[in-house]
């Protein structure tokens, strides 16, 4: 009875209405949806997207759409997450391009991403959000559908981690396209060389990475020392954090309770 009850409960949880994270961004530096997808596969899928993690381990078939650098599956360490591209498609006229991927067998082994299901869809299309000519911009629409374990605090934790991770990837990708090869200097706090024995700079890091975003934001941070110190206790606000609304210069995002398919039907 325990086994049957546990199985029934697991099935019910895995088929419940999911939480859907929707992110939108305008990408400059690329004007073709298929080319934007290729760059996404190269930078985010194959190279890790600038996250402070080890580069993903590529597995499976080589994807021609990824210029030979991306493969069908990847393993991220840490955590032990296997992701797989399940489909690639584009409009006959080349006006849009999509890809769908999912986590393979999420569960306790993918801690801290404790969830029953995780699938996503990334779409690229000509940007038509303004009345001005936007031939040199691409609209990115990224949807992530998850069903976290119904354990106290776990749902909030998984949503926060998912939001932080994907929003950071989008911001890094936007910088990667708009400012290829850009670096950020590693400077003393507030640029005060007196605190570092007269050293003005300790080198540079790529701007299209998480740490690059943190340093770039720090150089332009005008908050008081107290406010900056308190911010150290909230790492999700570091770098190009923003709040995902219309004032965020990189990405807009929101949560809802529906599936990716339902969101596609409402477009």
């Amino acid at each position: 009875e325990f086994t049957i009850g546990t199985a029934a409960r697991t099935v019910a949880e895995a088929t419940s209405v999911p939480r859907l994270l929707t992110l939108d961004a305008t990408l400059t530096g690329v004007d073709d949806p298929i080319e934007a997808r290729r760059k996404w596969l190269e930078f985010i899928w194959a190279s890790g997207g600038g996250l402070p993690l080890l580069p993903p381990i590529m597995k499976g078939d080589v994807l021609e759409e990824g210029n030979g650098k991306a493969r069908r599956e990847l393993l991220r360490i840490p955590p032990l997450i296997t992701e797989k591209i399940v489909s690639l498609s584009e409009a006959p006229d080349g006006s849009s391009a999509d890809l769908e991927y999912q986590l393979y067998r999420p569960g306790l082994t993918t801690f801290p991403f404790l969830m029953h299901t995780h699938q996503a869809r990334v779409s690229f299309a000509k940007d038509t959000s303004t009345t001005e000519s936007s031939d040199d911009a691409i609209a990115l629409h990224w949807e992530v559908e998850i069903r976290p374990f119904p354990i106290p605090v776990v749902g909030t934790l998984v949503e926060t981690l998912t939001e932080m991770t994907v929003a950071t990837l989008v911001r890094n990708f936007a910088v990667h396209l708009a400012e290829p090869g850009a670096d950020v200097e590693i400077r003393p706090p507030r640029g005060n060389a007196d605190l570092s024995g007269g050293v003005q700079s300790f080198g540079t890091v790529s701007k299209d990475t998480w740490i690059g975003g943190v340093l770039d934001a720090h150089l332009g941070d005008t908050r008081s020392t107290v406010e900056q110190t308190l911010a150290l206790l909230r790492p999700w606000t570091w770098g190009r954090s923003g709040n995902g609304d219309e004032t965020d210069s990189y990405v807009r995002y929101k949560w809802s309770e529906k599936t990716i398919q339902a969101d596609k039907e409402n477009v």
Side-chain angles (χ1 to χ4, degrees):
E1 292 181 0
F2 174 78
T3 302
I4 295 176
T6 301
R9 185 167 60 254
T10 300
V11 171
E13 293 170 357
T15 56
S16 61
V17 177
R19 292 283 287 167
L20 182 67
L21 173 63
T22 304
L23 305 95
D24 290 284
T26 299
L27 306 174
T28 59
V30 63
D31 59 5
D32 178 69
I34 296 177
E35 177 69 4
R37 184 183 63 185
R38 181 185 68 78
K39 290 180 178 293
W40 186 98
L41 287 167
E42 289 180 352
F43 178 71
I44 292 182
W45 190 258
S47 302
L51 293 178
L53 301 172
L54 294 173
I57 299 173
M58 294 287 102
K59 302 165 57 180
D61 300 332
V62 174
L63 297 174
E64 293 182 4
E65 295 86 350
N67 202 30
K69 297 181 180 180
R71 291 179 178 268
R72 180 74 59 178
E73 299 180 28
L74 62 79
L75 173 65
R76 296 189 189 276
I77 305 175
L80 294 174
I81 288 180
T82 298
E83 298 177 73
K84 180 178 182 179
I85 299 285
V86 294
S87 71
L88 293 149
S89 62
E90 54 273 333
D93 61 358
S95 61
S96 65
D98 307 314
L99 66 87
E100 295 187 13
Y101 68 91
Q102 64 183 23
L103 259 65
Y104 181 69
R105 293 183 178 177
L108 295 176
T109 58
T110 58
F111 179 86
F113 292 91
L114 300 175
M115 60 187 81
H116 288 289
T117 61
H118 177 294
Q119 57 185 3
R121 181 173 182 265
V122 188
S123 303
F124 306 88
K126 290 284 188 179
D127 183 18
T128 58
S129 60
T130 65
T131 56
E132 300 178 2
S133 175
S134 54
D135 290 340
D136 59 347
I138 295 295
L140 168 70
H141 185 66
W142 192 334
E143 301 163 293
V144 183
E145 175 192 305
I146 63 173
R147 290 183 174 88
F149 286 178
I151 303 173
V153 183
V154 167
T156 300
L157 173 63
V158 171
E159 287 190 15
T160 300
L161 289 173
T162 302
E163 181 181 298
M164 288 169 51
T165 301
V166 183
T168 297
L169 288 172
V170 171
R171 292 181 178 112
N172 289 350
F173 187 47
V175 171
H176 177 75
L177 295 176
E179 304 177 60
D183 292 325
V184 179
E185 282 192 289
I186 305 174
R187 298 181 183 176
R190 295 184 176 275
N192 190 343
D194 293 336
L195 298 176
S196 58
V199 178
Q200 296 284 349
S201 173
F202 298 96
T204 61
V205 297
S206 296
K207 192 175 181 179
D208 59 6
T209 61
W210 175 79
I211 189 62
V214 171
L215 293 173
D216 186 45
H218 174 69
L219 293 176
D221 197 341
T222 59
R223 295 176 299 174
S224 67
T225 301
V226 173
E227 289 178 303
Q228 291 189 35
T229 301
L230 292 175
L232 291 175
L233 303 176
R234 297 178 293 147
W236 57 90
T237 66
W238 298 354
R240 310 178 191 97
S241 56
N243 53 16
D245 65 12
E246 64 277 1
T247 65
D248 194 318
S249 59
Y250 286 99
V251 58
R252 285 82 60 199
Y253 53 82
K254 64 179 180 179
W255 285 95
S256 58
E257 293 188 354
K258 57 184 174 181
T259 63
I260 289 177
Q261 183 60 37
D263 194 48
K264 289 166 61 177
E265 293 173 352
N266 290 331
V267 173

